[in-house]
Amino acid sequence: MKIFYIIFGENLGNHIEAYLSMTSFRRQLGEGDEVCVVTTHPEYYNNIDVTVIPIRNEQISEWESPHHYFWRVKIKAVEYMHQRYPNEHIIYLDTDTFLFGDLNVLRSRLNEGKSFMHLREGGPETYTGNGRKMWNMAKGKTFAGITLSESHAMWNAGVIGLPASKLEVVTKTALTICDGILDLMGSTHVIEQYSFSVALQELTDMTEAQHFIAHYWGNKPEWEQWMNNLIVKAYMTKTTVDDVLMQMPLEELCRVAPVYVRTPSTQKRLVKLVQKLFPQANHRYTTPATPATPATPPPTPPKGGEK
């Protein structure tokens, strides 16, 4: 079984999230299991025992085509991993995830030919924003022999577990649906998520993984603070992040922070308004002192008798 991430870009926070997620999975790896990272920055993973698969920015750009859709990269990365490991189950993970349940249960589901995504978010009646926009354009359309209907729910794609026996057909179907919707409306968020949701619902028996894997997309600041403190503690005590995590009971890991915190829209608007009305000012920076230039000594007067 291959547990993999795709990480690119200069945001160090994403790499820190991935590091902690990988560490949580490495606690439970079985024989033949492997954690892999497909990344444009392989140098960030020299201090953790994972398989690093370097990739160039040009490859990322190619995977985004033909509509330059950022999230299409996720489908292409799954396809890439299947081509590299054609007989292996694959678990794709967003970086902001954390294993707290029994990995053996998820492995058993994959062995039975079952799939999983993080959680079922709801059918078309629950869609808002980009999801509603996409549904209004795509409903009733047929892609890869599948007619999109009210029976197709949206599932969260922060976790995607794919059994080896279904990987090729699921990936091709998801890519066909994704490109078909992109042809209709251009890029908008959730298309790749919906494409995987439809493909897996049609072609596999799918279940939720939320009771095994935390996905804290709804409370990143609090988790990021905890992770930064963990890394600093490991550095200051001359130990490793693995060791620090191993010393923490599972129950404590589950209580680290909420995975979701709803911030009311009114609060967001008020914060922006206050920042606009009362902007920060009087920034001061420390300037190193410039050494005083020694005064030029006066010329030495000539000695007596000298001219």
Side-chain angles (χ1 to χ4, degrees), residues 92-292:
Y92 162 83
L93 295 154
D94 282 356
T95 58
D96 53 354
T97 53
F98 203 95
L99 177 67
F100 65 89
D102 188 348
L103 185 58
N104 288 321
V105 176
L106 297 178
R107 184 187 295 105
S108 296
R109 291 181 180 179
L110 295 175
N111 287 339
E112 295 168 1
K114 297 179 181 179
S115 68
F116 50 83
M117 292 179 71
H118 185 248
L119 60 85
R120 185 184 186 277
E121 295 184 341
E125 71 280 358
T126 66
Y127 298 170
T128 59
N130 289 329
R132 172 57 57 183
K133 177 182 177 183
M134 179 204 67
W135 173 245
N136 288 338
M137 293 287 291
K139 61 183 177 182
K141 301 293 191 300
T142 300
F143 306 105
I146 300 170
T147 301
L148 305 181
S149 70
E150 286 79 1
S151 65
H152 296 123
M154 183 81 76
W155 290 60
N156 187 289
V159 178
I160 308 175
L162 302 118
S165 59
K166 298 285 188 176
L167 250 166
E168 183 173 4
V169 64
V170 166
T171 305
K172 287 182 176 179
T173 301
L175 193 61
T176 300
I177 295 171
C178 178
D179 288 345
I181 296 176
L182 287 171
D183 287 340
L184 281 177
M185 61 180 298
S187 64
T188 187
H189 189 50
V190 310
I191 293 178
E192 116 287 343
Q193 175 181 341
Y194 182 70
S195 300
F196 264 125
S197 300
V198 173
L200 287 168
Q201 285 172 86
E202 286 284 332
L203 301 170
T204 69
D205 179 3
M206 183 159 61
T207 57
E208 293 185 330
Q210 65 167 323
H211 301 298
F212 300 87
I213 300 173
H215 185 202
Y216 54 87
W217 63 272
N219 189 26
K220 277 178 176 279
E222 195 169 348
W223 276 80
E224 287 172 353
Q225 182 62 55
W226 174 76
M227 289 187 292
N228 289 335
N229 291 343
L230 188 71
I231 291 174
V232 170
K233 179 180 179 181
Y235 173 78
M236 295 180 70
T237 57
K238 292 187 177 181
T239 183
T240 67
V241 174
D242 279 24
D243 289 338
V244 174
L245 276 176
M246 289 295 185
Q247 296 166 9
M248 297 178 67
L250 182 60
E251 294 78 11
E252 185 175 343
L253 292 178
C254 294
R255 292 194 299 267
V256 163
V259 294
Y260 179 79
V261 175
R262 179 182 176 273
T263 302
S265 57
T266 301
Q267 181 188 116
K268 295 177 182 178
R269 288 195 298 268
L270 287 174
V271 168
K272 289 182 179 179
L273 178 61
V274 169
Q275 290 174 339
K276 181 178 180 180
L277 293 176
F278 305 99
Q280 293 178 339
N282 299 326
H283 294 78
R284 298 180 182 180
Y285 299 89
T286 299
T287 304
T290 304

Side-chain angles (χ1 to χ4, degrees), residues 46-90:
N46 291 331
N47 201 34
I48 186 169
D49 186 15
V50 298
T51 298
V52 180
I53 305 172
I55 193 170
R56 297 185 303 160
N57 286 319
E58 291 79 7
Q59 183 66 71
I60 299 295
S61 297
E62 181 181 328
W63 285 353
E64 290 180 352
S65 298
H67 293 277
H68 305 290
Y69 177 51
F70 176 82
W71 294 106
R72 187 179 187 268
V73 171
K74 185 182 293 189
I75 304 176
K76 293 295 291 184
V78 172
E79 180 184 66
Y80 175 76
M81 286 294 292
H82 174 59
Q83 292 169 350
R84 192 179 180 98
Y85 304 105
N87 300 314
E88 297 277 358
H89 303 318
I90 286 178

